[in-house]
Amino acid sequence: MRRNLFKVVLFAAILASCSDDDNDIVGEIPTEPEPTAEVDVRLNEVQYLGNWVEIVNNGDSTVDLGDYFLCLGPGTYRRVSDLTVNGNLQLTAGSYLSISYEMPNAEGGLGLYSNNSDFTDASTLVDFVQWGAGSTARENVAVEAGVWTAGEFVPVLGNADNTIIFDGEGVGASNWAETTTVTIGEDNLLTVPEEIRSIVINEVQYGSKDLIELYNNGNVTVDLSSYWLCLGPGTYVQLENVTPESGSIELAAGEFVVVPYALPDTEGGLGLYSNNSFTSADAIMDFVQWGAAGSARENVAVEAGIWTAGEFVPTVRLDSYSIEYDGEGDSAADWTEEVNPSLGLANDTEVAKTTFNVTISNVINYLNVHTFTTPVGASDPGPLTTNGAQYQISFKAVSGTKFTPVTMMGNSNDWFLAPTDLNGIDLFPNGQALNGVDIADQLSLYDLGTEADNDPASFPPAGADVGPADANTEVRLVEGRDTGDIYVTAVLDYTNGDGSSAGTFTLTITAINAPDPGQPASSSNGFVVTPGIAVLHALPEPLFTLGEEDRAVGLERIAEDGMPGELYGWFTETGSNGSPLRLASSLSVFSPGLVYAFNTDSDPFFVQGGEARDGSGLEELSEDGNNAVAVSYFNNLGLPVAASNETAPVGPGGYLSFSIDVPQGQDYKLGISTMLVQTNDWFISYNNNGVALFDENGTPFSGTSESDESYLFDAGTEVDEPVGFGIYQAPRQSGPNEGPADANTTIRRVSELEDVQFGKGVYNNGPGVVYLQDPRGGYNLVRIDIQPQ
């Protein structure tokens, strides 16, 4: 706030010189008074170690400075007319007065007063400047007068050859700067000390972080509180108003400070200034321009000799990258893109890394389940008690499917028929469907170990689950019994499919060893065939393991009571989104895949709702299982990437393994991708956020819990055909990239799948979940294990 005290005094004197008669002129219109003169006396330059003070008259009339006072605090004040001066105390407009006045070394606060009536009276303070430190004796007076901000000060180096100078307008520390060119009695000239010019813009992360790193490559500490960052008109900030991300505004030699500042994402020009004279080549300390030439302050930097017109640093390829200065020179060529920003550290600092071992397991197993409960020709469920009685079921299946039928020996406590080979019965041995084949000789009799055998008190069975517990709880073969062909026939017949869906098997179970009704019921008197279950699966031991206890999911109800409902319900249970918890949607291999790490906000490989990027390799991977293009894409970006150690597709029970080195402290997330091969362009991946590999403390993630972030995606590059039957799907097409283009080119989650391989119908799965243990239910295809070394 400028105080025109002399204007007030002058106006009062004019009024006093007018007589009463002057106010009684009759018949004349009073004339407008002449405008009073503008009085604006300012401190203009202070040689804080050389004991000189310069005052300038910025007004438009002469001012008598004889009775003005300079004051540093209590007991340290002098009348200007009592001091040695260069110039005239009758200071004309635009003139300077230099005054010899003892300064208090490298810290002080100097007030210019219109009189000495009261140095604590803000109305008498004309101007003020504070350097080296805040809270000097008259700072509060200057704050009250509106000519200073509490705590502000002009940073100085303590060099006797330097002065601090006023920029000619405004109030406050931002309008002052230290110069090496002393201009006492002359117009001010800002020549920034080399020590201060040692502050450089060292790194800029303008994409996702909006951070700027400043470095002091000099040998003295520099207080940056009065410095400014400026992108152009209206877009600037003083560093004293910024809270550093790291480091201190009081920047010691060889140290870094990282400050936040909103920056343009693709092109801009950033200037570092010693004061807010943003068009002054003397005030600009450093400059960098990216993305395009011609930013608002480029011409200032060019004039200052710290940039070349038209030069710019190329825009970073990913928003997590930064641009880094090489430490010498002033051209765009001295800046490079940095994949792993080193904010707060030297630009050549080697980034520590953690090695992660990643396993993507193909856990496809249960493909469908069917029960046989009602004998052929009967209207109600029941056992087969006479020879020739039959059960019959039909089901769809494709090559690679294993088959496990289970039926109770009704005249036992807990014995049941199941495949001798615990892998199950291969429905397509050597690629040919079983047709007209009796599989009874591939069945054996097992004891479930849940109920004591042939206990007189409970045999023959008198109801469900009534017998005492078996002392031996292990599942085991019944000793001395032949294969199932002495009890039943179990014939599989096959009908080919229509080319767009699976063929159909029909299983006919016929009783051939019914009990002799004339003999007491016992486990030695024939074989009563009870209702049972048939499981289609891909992995071994779908229902039990020899030598272990029953899994308690429903097999006991079949083995003891001939009741398959509980086990059927366990297989067909759905999760919170209505999708099956255990049944897999499809039988497929996974292609060789890749894992990669990224520190962008969103996955750089693909964006849900976007389209496949040219050159990313997503199309090649999702259509043809080719991971090479994608690996090259990430290598070119400089991001961590690893192809699977396995170079051939992996089926159920197999896995893809990877080892990837990931920088620490960079917020890296893991991405994965592998093709579901029996499709046109579907792939398994994490969502676009990936999985954070380090927590806020830097601890690496481990385990399988983030498997629930994996989903089935449609790449939108090729028209979808029925799963497992498309002529343009990789196993059946004659070459890569053969299918017609998809009309819907957006990458989206697969939320609905029609199972034509096993006849489960339309499989609704809104989120597209693929993790086997996801409580929402899903396609049940994958488990992902992440383990740091």
Side-chain angles (χ1 to χ4, degrees):
M1 182 178 71
R2 298 179 181 178
R3 297 188 169 273
N4 299 320
L5 186 64
F6 274 88
K7 181 193 295 185
V8 177
V9 173
L10 182 61
F11 186 63
I14 293 172
L15 290 177
S17 68
C18 297
S19 69
D20 291 337
D21 292 340
D22 292 331
N23 295 322
D24 294 330
I25 298 175
V26 178
E28 293 186 14
I29 299 174
T31 59
E32 290 289 330
E34 291 293 325
T36 57
E38 174 77 14
V39 176
D40 187 10
V41 178
R42 306 297 298 272
L43 295 170
N44 196 55
E45 186 169 4
V46 176
Q47 194 171 29
Y48 57 89
L49 291 179
N51 300 329
W52 281 95
V53 176
E54 179 187 77
I55 297 173
V56 65
N57 183 351
N58 282 339
D60 53 16
S61 65
T62 298
V63 179
D64 183 353
L65 297 181
D67 288 330
Y68 275 56
F69 276 77
L70 295 172
C71 178
L72 289 161
T76 55
Y77 50 86
R78 297 292 302 276
R79 186 192 306 269
V80 171
S81 60
D82 293 338
L83 297 170
T84 300
V85 300
N86 284 334
N88 197 327
L89 291 175
Q90 297 295 319
L91 192 61
T92 58
S95 298
Y96 303 100
L97 178 67
S98 302
I99 306 166
S100 177
Y101 182 54
E102 188 174 347
M103 293 290 124
N105 300 319
E107 295 180 3
L110 177 65
L112 176 64
Y113 286 81
S114 61
N115 59 63
N116 67 338
S117 61
D118 184 357
F119 292 125
T120 64
D121 181 1
S123 69
T124 66
L125 181 65
V126 176
D127 202 7
F128 179 82
V129 64
Q130 180 170 250
W131 64 92
S135 301
T136 57
R138 300 307 180 206
E139 180 193 73
N140 63 321
V141 184
V143 172
E144 182 183 350
V147 298
W148 203 257
T149 301
E152 282 191 353
F153 60 90
V154 183
V156 293
L157 296 173
N159 188 326
D161 294 330
N162 297 348
T163 64
I164 56 173
I165 57 175
F166 176 52
D167 66 7
E169 58 183 26
V171 294
S174 64
N175 300 102
W176 286 80
E178 187 167 17
T179 182
T180 59
T181 303
V182 178
T183 55
I184 301 294
E186 303 173 8
D187 291 344
N188 289 343
L189 176 62
L190 177 62
T191 306
V192 179
E194 286 302 318
E195 298 95 325
I196 295 179
R197 285 198 179 273
S198 67
I199 308 301
V200 298
I201 301 171
N202 200 51
E203 187 170 4
V204 180
Q205 191 172 12
Y206 53 80
S208 60
K209 299 293 186 180
D210 286 340
L211 295 173
I212 300 164
E213 178 189 77
L214 303 176
Y215 174 59
N216 184 346
N217 66 5
N219 52 20
V220 298
T221 297
V222 178
D223 185 338
L224 301 181
S225 57
S226 64
Y227 278 49
W228 294 75
L229 295 170
C230 180
L231 289 160
T235 52
Y236 46 80
V237 65
Q238 192 172 18
L239 289 179
E240 70 171 1
N241 298 319
V242 176
T243 301
E245 289 277 326
S246 65
S248 173
I249 294 296
E250 189 82 15
L251 191 58
E255 295 296 323
F256 304 89
V257 62
V258 179
V259 295
Y261 183 48
L263 297 164
D265 289 344
T266 56
E267 57 185 65
L270 176 67
L272 173 66
Y273 287 80
S274 62
N275 59 56
N276 62 350
S277 299
F278 300 127
T279 60
S280 168
D282 293 318
I284 193 168
M285 299 290 99
D286 203 7
F287 179 81
V288 64
Q289 180 170 253
W290 64 89
S295 61
R297 300 306 181 206
E298 180 192 66
N299 62 318
V300 183
V302 171
E303 182 183 350
I306 58 174
W307 201 256
T308 300
E311 285 191 352
F312 60 90
V313 185
T315 304
V316 293
R317 292 169 295 165
L318 293 178
D319 63 10
S320 61
Y321 297 175
S322 67
I323 53 174
E324 285 186 342
Y325 177 51
D326 66 7
E328 56 184 31
D330 291 308
S331 71
D334 296 300
W335 288 80
T336 56
E337 177 184 80
E338 175 53 55
V339 175
N340 297 305
S342 56
L343 296 163
L345 300 170
N347 290 346
D348 58 357
T349 300
E350 185 174 349
V351 181
K353 296 180 180 180
T354 296
T355 300
F356 290 88
N357 294 326
V358 181
T359 304
I360 302 175
S361 296
N362 184 334
V363 295
I364 294 170
N365 191 10
Y366 303 126
L367 299 162
N368 209 348
V369 60
H370 301 269
T371 59
F372 44 90
T373 59
T374 302
V376 174
S379 58
D380 298 312
L384 306 182
T385 57
T386 61
N387 289 333
Q390 295 180 326
Y391 293 118
Q392 191 173 80
I393 57 171
S394 295
F395 54 88
K396 291 182 177 295
V398 296
S399 182
T401 307
K402 303 299 190 296
F403 176 61
T404 293
V406 175
T407 181
M408 176 194 182
M409 180 179 181
N411 49 320
S412 73
N413 288 86
D414 60 349
W415 293 357
F416 62 96
L417 275 180
T420 307
D421 185 347
L422 297 184
N423 290 319
I425 296 169
D426 188 351
L427 289 173
F428 291 86
N430 300 315
Q432 298 297 313
L434 295 177
N435 188 14
V437 176
D438 186 353
I439 61 169
D441 62 350
Q442 299 183 51
L443 307 176
S444 291
L445 193 61
Y446 294 89
D447 185 332
L448 190 61
T450 57
E451 190 170 296
D453 298 325
N454 300 311
D455 179 72
S458 59
F459 191 87
D465 196 23
V466 296
D470 196 331
N472 181 356
T473 59
E474 294 180 355
V475 181
R476 56 203 183 267
L477 283 166
V478 178
E479 294 182 1
R481 297 285 179 148
D482 292 325
T483 53
D485 54 342
I486 66 171
Y487 310 117
V488 297
T489 62
V491 178
L492 281 169
D493 294 304
Y494 179 73
T495 303
N496 287 323
D498 60 6
S500 60
S501 64
T504 301
F505 287 92
T506 299
L507 171 67
T508 304
I509 299 174
T510 305
I512 61 172
N513 193 352
D516 183 349
Q519 299 295 322
S522 74
S523 56
S524 299
N525 183 10
F527 191 104
V528 176
V529 184
T530 68
I533 201 165
V535 181
L536 304 179
H537 58 97
L539 300 180
E541 302 179 346
L543 298 176
F544 63 91
T545 301
L546 283 178
E548 295 184 5
E549 292 186 359
D550 174 50
R551 298 174 187 172
V553 297
L555 181 57
E556 180 179 0
R557 297 305 302 275
I558 296 176
E560 290 185 9
D561 308 311
M563 301 174 65
E566 182 179 337
L567 185 55
Y568 180 82
W570 181 83
F571 276 117
T572 57
E573 184 181 358
T574 58
S576 59
N577 71 8
S579 298
L581 287 171
R582 300 175 182 92
L583 293 179
S585 64
S586 314
L587 180 60
S588 179
V589 296
F590 295 168
S591 74
L594 71 153
V595 298
Y596 50 93
F598 58 95
N599 51 5
T600 50
D601 289 337
S602 183
D603 192 327
F605 191 38
F606 74 97
V607 175
Q608 184 176 337
E611 295 185 355
R613 299 185 180 102
D614 290 341
S616 69
L618 178 61
E619 181 175 3
E620 288 82 355
L621 183 135
S622 62
E623 288 186 12
D624 305 308
N626 173 10
N627 61 3
V629 179
V631 169
S632 177
Y633 168 75
F634 281 103
N635 278 328
N636 289 336
L637 286 176
L639 292 176
V641 62
S644 57
N645 295 318
E646 294 70 28
T647 57
V650 296
Y655 55 83
L656 301 170
S657 61
F658 310 82
S659 180
I660 184 171
D661 296 328
V662 181
Q664 301 169 8
Q666 297 286 330
D667 298 325
Y668 270 101
K669 282 82 69 176
L670 184 71
I672 66 165
S673 194
T674 180
M675 178 192 183
L676 189 67
V677 172
Q678 292 290 355
T679 66
N680 291 83
D681 60 347
W682 293 0
F683 65 100
I684 294 169
S685 185
Y686 284 134
N687 65 21
N688 285 146
N689 295 324
V691 168
L693 288 172
F694 302 91
D695 66 15
E696 62 275 9
N697 299 317
T699 303
F701 174 82
S702 66
T704 61
S705 62
E706 293 295 329
S707 298
D708 61 0
E709 295 298 325
S710 56
Y711 301 89
L712 185 61
F713 289 90
D714 185 330
T717 59
E718 190 170 298
V719 171
D720 297 323
E721 299 171 298
V723 176
F725 289 92
I727 62 172
Y728 295 116
Q729 291 167 356
R732 287 164 289 280
Q733 65 186 4
S734 59
N737 196 29
E738 283 198 339
D742 196 334
N744 181 358
T745 58
T746 59
I747 301 168
R748 66 267 189 193
R749 293 186 187 177
V750 177
S751 59
E752 183 179 283
L753 182 161
E754 184 177 2
D755 175 19
V756 296
Q757 293 178 309
F758 301 96
K760 294 191 294 291
V762 175
Y763 202 113
N764 290 303
N765 178 8
V769 180
V770 292
Y771 177 38
L772 174 61
Q773 297 176 3
D774 198 303
R776 293 170 290 181
Y779 294 133
N780 300 314
L781 305 174
V782 72
R783 181 176 59 250
I784 305 158
D785 189 14
I786 304 169
Q787 295 296 334
Q789 288 187 3

